[in-house]
Amino acid sequence: MDGFDSSKGIFMLGATNRPDVLDKALLRPGRFDRRVIVDKPDLKGRVDILKVHAKNVRMDETVDLDAMGLATSGAVGADLANMINEAAINAVKQGRKAISQADLLEAVEVVIAGKEKKDRILSAVEKKTVAYHEVGHALITALEKNAEPVQKITIVPRTMGSLGYVMQVPEEEKYLMTKDELITRITTLLGGRAAEAICFDTVTTGAANDMEKATALARAMVTQYGMCDSFGLMSLEKNEDTYLTGRTSLNCSDQTATKIDNEVNALLKACYERAIKLLTENKDVLAKIADYLYEKETITGAQFMEIYNEVKEQECSISEKN
Ligand code: ZN
């Protein structure tokens, strides 16, 4: 960077995903003075990006890009471009001349979870287990007040390996999460395993990904967010690579690391026990919705809530009669 004559009109641009490993000398004043941080887009950003990619694609009157923005939290520009493209492919395949909102929502799932793998035939027992597992997740969100509403539940396997999933769409984009919301999130993640344990008296490998996510959240609560009483406000883990991997490193003694593991384990255990309690108390509604899902394979959040409210009303009228 040395050797440039400051009277010449040269400016230099650089881009990196790893600002953390840049030579400190490069970052001294007079080198790269202005930094433009390009983070994942927020809701408004996603809607604007969708508009750019939607410009040259024909869309019908059902399309609502604001709703798409809400459903794509965490997606980057390339994902969004890919979604519009997938939606267009879907419309063309079905012989239509314009993209509909349904094409777009299907495209979100294709990009996140892969295409539907209709030729994978699950045995009746496996299919039933997946149905109860997914409804376990969804039911916790309906029973807990801090959860995001369910948009869709499906047990059609997808090419990226999932056998089913619950799609949740927030009512608005949030930048902060409260402790209660995080605990509800972990409880929801463990709800799938809890439903298996309650209804089949055994557990399957299906919860591996849920456990991974739940553990990461619980760990961050203990080490980064100061949400664990025994460590108070002590920061125990540092984020080393915010942009790419999100890798963290512990900055504490080995004894503390052991204590962290114990705290994380206790937190997960408490959430799992809460999931078991909630689902045991609502076993009837769990079974009813899971059987319906087993039959239909995909249900909407509205259908889910309809059965939920129906069973709840019946329970109320029975207890009133008694
Ligand atoms: Zn699950």
Side-chain angles (χ1 to χ4, degrees), residues 114-121 156-162:
K115 284 198 180 354
E116 285 189 345
K117 202 166 158 51
K118 289 207 167 112
D119 57 343
R120 171 168 292 164
I121 311 291
V156 178
R158 294 259 166 181
T159 47
M160 287 186 200
S162 82

Side-chain angles (χ1 to χ4, degrees), residues 56-71:
N56 296 323
V57 184
R58 214 174 295 152
M59 305 211 165
D60 71 12
E61 65 294 338
T62 59
V63 168
D64 177 357
L65 292 182
D66 292 317
M68 271 291 286
L70 264 180

Side-chain angles (χ1 to χ4, degrees), residues 162-180:
S162 82
L163 295 178
Y165 59 86
V166 177
M167 199 171 150
Q168 282 174 274
V169 176
E171 277 155 348
E172 56 187 350
E173 183 147 79
K174 296 179 85 173
Y175 300 95
L176 286 174
M177 274 186 102
T178 64
K179 186 176 173 183
D180 287 344

Side-chain angles (χ1 to χ4, degrees), residues 54-115:
K55 218 173 238 170
N56 296 323
V57 184
R58 214 174 295 152
M59 305 211 165
D60 71 12
E61 65 294 338
T62 59
V63 168
D64 177 357
L65 292 182
D66 292 317
M68 271 291 286
L70 264 180
T72 49
S73 175
V76 297
D79 293 328
L80 297 168
N82 195 2
M83 283 167 193
I84 300 263
N85 190 41
E86 285 291 343
I89 293 173
N90 203 26
V92 170
K93 265 191 190 162
Q94 295 178 18
R96 281 182 280 111
K97 292 220 153 43
I99 292 179
S100 68
Q101 185 72 354
D103 291 325
L104 286 171
L105 290 174
E106 168 62 25
V108 174
E109 291 175 68
V110 168
V111 172
I112 294 169
K115 284 198 180 354

Side-chain angles (χ1 to χ4, degrees), residues 133-134 137 206 210:
H133 177 109
E134 297 309 331
H137 288 306
D210 298 332

